[in-house]
Amino acid sequence: KSQYSFIVELFKQADIKLIKKSNSKSGIGKVSIGSQIFYFINASMLNHLLLRKDMCHWSRGVQMRYNLNILEEWVRENGLMEEELMDGSVISMLHPMIQASKLLQMKKQSFHDAEEIISLCTCLNLLQIQKLVTMYTPSSGFEERVPIAIIRYIAKKNQSSKTDPTQLMVDVSYQFPVTFPFSYADVNYNDIKIPKSIQLSNNDLFSSIKIKIKID
């Protein structure tokens, strides 16, 4: 049984209608609950992997990819696959971890292999790729150790890169911004009866509304 099955069980108990509504562009806030949850899962898993040498192994890569497949299956079964968000799809939040699991399963013996890893892992920066390749532990009797020349090759690319992010760990505390769309109200402000105690006429109310809209 997957060690991340408890996450799926937690999602099953969640209000899927609320998650779907949060994905909708017509929702109250244009931010997806699903994307925030999946971002946190990805960030936590990737940070954990980057700090654990014993996790950087071919078999672990296979296991992690299987666990991620379970989460992807849950997304498809609940109709969240096609939902468009501000920052991409729900599944895209897991892309860095999916690519990291694939990296652990790829060959790492030649410069061509290194280039393939870099071209595939577009959601990981070069520092993260270098870290994973450096910590990689080959399967006993089946793989050779990663040549030091390959590690230096990736490190040199990282040092020469002027645009690639240099942050190793993922910010777990990051929160997606929430925007609230303006909704027009079918209200005739001239028909609103204002209590005299407020000391505000209908004309004053309408003027204050126009001013606020103009400022916003």
Side-chain angles (χ1 to χ4, degrees), residues 113-143:
D113 295 339
E115 285 295 340
E116 283 195 341
I117 290 173
I118 293 172
S119 62
L120 172 69
C121 301
T122 55
C123 294
L124 301 174
N125 61 47
L126 288 171
L127 183 60
Q128 292 169 336
I129 294 174
Q130 178 188 341
K131 180 72 171 178
L132 292 174
V133 172
T134 303
M135 294 196 305
Y136 183 77
T137 303
S139 300
S140 178
F142 295 95
E143 291 180 291

Side-chain angles (χ1 to χ4, degrees), residues 130-177:
Q130 178 188 341
K131 180 72 171 178
L132 292 174
V133 172
T134 303
M135 294 196 305
Y136 183 77
T137 303
S139 300
S140 178
F142 295 95
E143 291 180 291
E144 296 180 2
R145 301 192 70 86
V146 180
I148 189 64
I150 302 302
I151 298 175
R152 289 174 178 170
Y153 178 77
I154 298 175
K156 186 176 180 181
K157 273 188 166 293
N158 180 36
Q159 293 172 359
S160 61
S161 176
K162 297 180 180 179
T163 58
D164 205 59
T166 56
Q167 185 173 347
L168 178 64
M169 310 302 287
V170 183
D171 184 7
V172 181
S173 63
Y174 174 79
Q175 296 181 355
F176 290 97

